[in-house]
Amino acid sequence: MKILITGFAPFGGETINPSWEAVLKLPKQFQTSKGIGAELVKREMPVSYDRCGGIIEELIEKERPDCVVCVGQAGGRMGLEVEQIAVNLKDAASADNDNVSYHGTPVTPGGPDGRFARLPVRDMAAACREAGIPAKVSLSAGAYVCNCLMYHVLELIEQRYPDMRGGFIHVPYECRQAAVQERAKPSLPLDTIAEGLLACLKAL
Ligand code: PCA
């Protein structure tokens, strides 16, 4: 099974993004819990509403993965969160790394309001918890670039790659990001985030 896994570049004044740092720590090959050999293709995504869709489309076309798992940082969350749904909405106070902002704009004009993950989200979150790492299924990926990328992936699955699976995992701050903030924020060590991601992937 070939899995395309992406993390994001740093954004919002941060110098690292734990999503990409944790993806880098994952083994290139492993066995799933069902004993299927899995191979990872890792790519870093820009924090760009306008570019993320085209880039993931090209990557999928080139790599033809069986599964696409995109990973992003969600500062303030307590553990790993496997996203259940992407919404057709771009709406955030912050601009992206291209200095583009959206308020109340659809990802795809005329597209469905929401698209469900094509991943065993409940099993993935449970596998992460069984590995001793906090995780849950989340019912909102927000309306910033992560949600936008997830929506694009699910649209590609629906329109062009019906046999492919795909979805999104949000990860919390890595401890060093939380440690420089005066008000305490939840965080996990990077190795733990990577272990949690691997546990999620093994449940595929
Ligand atoms: N998190 C942001 C975008 C990039 C990232 O890692 C989000 O949750 O939308």
Side-chain angles (χ1 to χ4, degrees), residues 128-189:
C128 187
R129 290 196 298 273
E130 273 156 32
I133 297 157
K136 66 171 196 157
V137 173
S138 158
L139 298 180
S140 176
Y144 190 47
V145 180
C146 290
N147 170 77
C148 179
L149 175 61
M150 181 178 174
Y151 192 90
H152 282 304
V153 168
L154 298 175
E155 185 170 74
L156 284 164
I157 291 175
E158 192 186 305
Q159 297 181 349
R160 306 235 310 262
Y161 301 99
D163 296 332
M164 195 172 76
R165 294 189 290 169
F168 200 96
I169 303 174
H170 263 123
V171 300
Y173 281 134
E174 190 264 327
C175 292
R176 286 169 298 173
Q177 293 175 287
V180 295
Q181 311 200 21
E182 276 184 31
R183 284 171 72 97
K185 290 269 170 63
S187 62
L188 289 173

Side-chain angles (χ1 to χ4, degrees), residues 3-60:
I3 304 169
L4 172 61
I5 186 160
T6 69
F8 273 104
F11 68 104
E14 299 281 345
T15 53
I16 71 151
N17 188 320
S19 64
W20 178 237
E21 303 290 330
V23 164
L24 284 176
K25 285 180 174 278
L26 294 172
K28 209 168 159 8
Q29 292 180 330
F30 59 90
Q31 293 241 315
T32 69
S33 53
K34 290 181 190 144
I36 301 165
E39 176 207 344
L40 292 184
V41 175
K42 307 175 184 183
R43 292 288 182 274
E44 188 183 24
M45 296 295 297
V47 181
S48 165
Y49 287 112
D50 296 346
R51 290 185 290 131
C52 68
I55 292 173
I56 201 74
E57 185 176 343
E58 270 177 34
L59 277 172
I60 291 169

